[in-house]
Amino acid sequence: MAIQVTGTQVISNARALTNIASIDATTAAAITAAGVGGGGEIDFVASGTLSNGATVGVNQDGTISVTTPLVGEATAYVGSDTLSAVDVTVVYDATSGKLVASWQSDNYQGKASLGTISGSTITWGSNVTFHSQNGQSYCIANAGAGKVAIFWRHNNAAGNIYAIVGTISGTSLTFGTATSLGPIANAFRPTYDTSTGKVVIFYRDDSTGYAVIRVCTISGTSISAGSQYSVGSYYGNPESFVYCPSINKFVGCLRDYNTNPSGTYAFVATISGTSASYGTVLNLGVNKTYMSLDWDSNNSKILLAYADTAAGNTGKITVGTVSGTSISFGTAVAFATTGVANFVSYNPTAGKFVLTYSTVANASGTTFAIPVTVSGSTASAGGSTAIVGTGSDRTCAAYDAPTGYTSIVLNTINNGKGSSNRYNPTSTLTSFVGITAAAIANGATGPVTIIGGTNESLTGLIVGGTYGVPSSTGVLTATTENKIGVALSATKLLINGSI
């Protein structure tokens, strides 16, 4: 609107209004009647067919796509049970297209549930008890062909390792007979070797205190294990262990709890049959906890995340390079001022790692997901997105190729239930640029109303209403979440905010 001093106009209405935080219906009607609108448009090339009035974001190649959900709605995965504040893991089974989560209930029993994926939503079935006695350190691994393997410490059997094979059929999850694999142990970190179909576990042998590797063979619903192979002579607490298929190696990291402060180490292992060997163990220094790593199959790199206890649990990431049976790491960079319960999962669809972390390891914190890009020996963290409104001391994530999402579970009790959610690192919601001003065919160039402009392609708007694009839908709606604009009329939206 024009500005006047004692009846004389000193600033005209020659340009569209911008940066308007709110507006009432009367003012909106006056602005529309004055003919303010349009403008603020840029032409983009469409990736996919875009309808008129679609909210869009910029892709890495400069094209635009319709905004898609960034996260889903948090759901509980433990049914009527109460979750213990430890031991939760999840895997995605490509054969069935299902998620399987395992956890420890508050009475130390071993539980599991099957998750069905639909878009950004996970629906969990009834929980299944696979161990009804006193156990701990439950941890799950893929076992191929619609099967999973779960390992735990059986406290009623002298603390020995026990394992069981689960089979997925439709929406049913059944288990075979639990098998004792031998000596007293704890802190299991299993991973699936896709080249041999074996499950390799990294754990602490409590009879010696050493961190060891062991190869397991699955036949039907039976499981057996080969000999143990110690990783050096460290009194180790295994932190993370992954298979690297493109180089047919395994990478692990551990903390030596026999030193104060605890020393941390990384190594590269090779499996042949049921035998394991490893190269030079790399000393990573001290003051690291909540360590997690995964393999970048596109760039053949490792990403390691940890909390730096010497810097107030600052969350840090560093890139690892494997050469033969050795590993080295680049300079660590911070991704959060506090980062605990870290878990790293590579997402090949996005070509990025998804890093989940909590600000505080209890219900007073918040759990976030953050995309991490690796270039050479450098890691760059993107913006964080809240996944669940509580903190955690254990998070876990699994990637599923059909949707390109990463599914996340965590163990903080949310109204007595463990929580889960879905995160889409390829969503263009975080790169929102505007609303299409016309329909644009795939590969064609067309106009997009950007911040500062007024889009006139919409219908059914509430005059004076605030509109945003919620993270769980990616669709324009009347809301203050991810607010992008205010309605000037039933068809006109002034875009005055970015996500």
Side-chain angles (χ1 to χ4, degrees):
M1 64 187 70
I3 296 178
Q4 296 181 340
V5 178
T6 62
T8 303
Q9 179 174 295
V10 294
I11 300 178
S12 71
N13 188 30
R15 56 187 297 175
L17 300 176
T18 62
N19 300 321
I20 299 174
S22 63
I23 190 169
D24 60 27
T26 302
T27 306
I31 292 174
T32 301
V36 178
E41 288 185 359
I42 295 180
D43 286 343
F44 288 92
V45 176
S47 175
T49 300
L50 302 176
S51 61
N52 190 7
T55 54
V56 293
V58 180
N59 300 307
Q60 291 183 346
D61 61 3
T63 62
I64 55 170
S65 297
V66 65
T67 53
T68 52
L70 180 62
V71 297
E73 296 289 345
T75 55
Y77 61 86
V78 299
S80 59
D81 281 341
T82 302
L83 179 72
S84 171
V86 289
D87 302 334
V88 56
T89 50
V90 67
V91 294
Y92 173 76
D93 174 62
T95 301
S96 63
K98 304 288 187 181
L99 295 165
V100 185
S102 72
W103 71 93
Q104 175 183 312
S105 67
D106 62 345
N107 58 3
Y108 294 92
Q109 293 182 349
K111 306 278 186 173
S113 57
L114 195 64
T116 299
I117 296 167
S118 178
S120 60
T121 302
I122 308 171
T123 302
W124 296 97
S126 301
N127 54 32
V128 179
T129 302
F130 59 84
H131 179 62
S132 59
Q133 299 183 49
N134 188 327
Q136 67 184 76
S137 297
Y138 298 96
C139 200
I140 194 170
N142 274 312
K147 295 186 183 298
V148 295
I150 303 177
F151 303 84
W152 69 94
R153 173 190 173 108
H154 193 332
N155 290 330
N156 289 351
N160 283 358
I161 308 169
Y162 268 66
I164 198 167
V165 176
T167 302
I168 305 164
S169 179
T171 57
S172 175
L173 176 64
T174 58
F175 288 93
T177 302
T179 302
S180 174
L181 299 182
I184 180 172
N186 216 331
F188 305 105
R189 299 291 181 263
T191 190
Y192 180 56
D193 183 341
T194 55
S195 67
T196 64
K198 297 185 183 296
V199 175
V200 184
I201 51 174
F202 179 41
Y203 62 95
R204 185 178 71 238
D205 179 351
D206 280 348
S207 65
T208 63
Y210 293 158
V212 300
I213 300 172
R214 201 170 182 191
V215 180
C216 299
T217 302
I218 293 173
S219 177
T221 58
S222 299
I223 185 168
S224 59
S227 301
Q228 294 185 158
Y229 295 86
S230 297
V231 180
S233 56
Y234 305 100
Y235 287 86
N237 194 59
E239 292 277 304
S240 190
F241 190 57
V242 296
Y243 176 58
C244 310
S246 56
I247 59 173
N248 197 28
K249 301 289 183 184
F250 296 78
V251 175
C253 59
L254 61 95
R255 284 189 298 132
D256 185 352
Y257 64 86
N258 204 37
T259 61
N260 187 19
S262 296
T264 56
Y265 303 87
F267 64 93
V268 178
T270 304
I271 303 300
S272 177
T274 57
S275 299
S277 60
Y278 60 93
T280 302
V281 177
L282 177 67
N283 188 338
L284 297 174
V286 296
N287 302 316
K288 295 177 177 64
T289 188
Y290 290 110
M291 300 170 72
S292 177
L293 50 78
D294 202 6
W295 175 251
D296 179 340
S297 56
N298 289 339
N299 298 305
S300 296
K301 296 288 185 180
I302 285 283
L303 183 72
L304 170 65
Y306 61 91
D308 185 342
T309 58
N313 280 335
T314 297
K316 292 186 177 181
I317 47 178
T318 179
V319 178
T321 301
V322 177
S323 178
T325 58
S326 299
I327 188 168
S328 59
F329 285 90
T331 303
V333 295
F335 66 84
T337 53
T338 56
V340 299
N342 306 308
F343 193 90
V344 174
S345 176
Y346 186 65
N347 187 303
T349 300
K352 300 177 181 180
F353 290 93
V354 173
L355 168 58
T356 57
Y357 70 97
S358 291
T359 52
V360 181
N362 55 50
S364 66
T366 302
T367 301
F368 293 93
I370 188 168
V372 178
T373 303
V374 168
S375 178
S377 59
T378 303
S380 302
S384 59
T385 299
I387 297 297
V388 177
T390 57
S392 174
D393 63 3
R394 177 69 64 84
T395 62
C396 190
Y399 160 79
D400 62 273
T403 67
Y405 278 70
T406 296
S407 297
I408 299 161
V409 300
L410 55 127
N411 71 353
T412 300
I413 297 173
N414 183 8
N415 294 326
K417 310 296 182 185
S419 296
S420 66
N421 210 335
R422 302 259 287 157
Y423 174 73
N424 179 13
T426 64
S427 172
T428 54
L429 189 64
T430 55
S431 60
F432 168 79
V433 68
I435 301 175
T436 55
I440 311 173
N442 181 36
T445 299
V448 174
T449 309
I450 62 172
I451 297 175
T454 301
N455 185 279
E456 302 181 7
S457 303
L458 304 169
T459 59
L461 302 179
I462 300 172
V463 178
T466 298
Y467 284 79
V469 186
S471 296
S472 61
T473 65
V475 177
L476 183 72
T477 189
T479 180
T480 57
E481 181 185 351
N482 294 337
K483 184 178 75 70
I484 66 166
V486 61
L488 303 181
S489 72
T491 59
K492 296 179 181 180
L493 186 76
L494 173 64
I495 303 177
N496 62 359
S498 60
I499 297 172

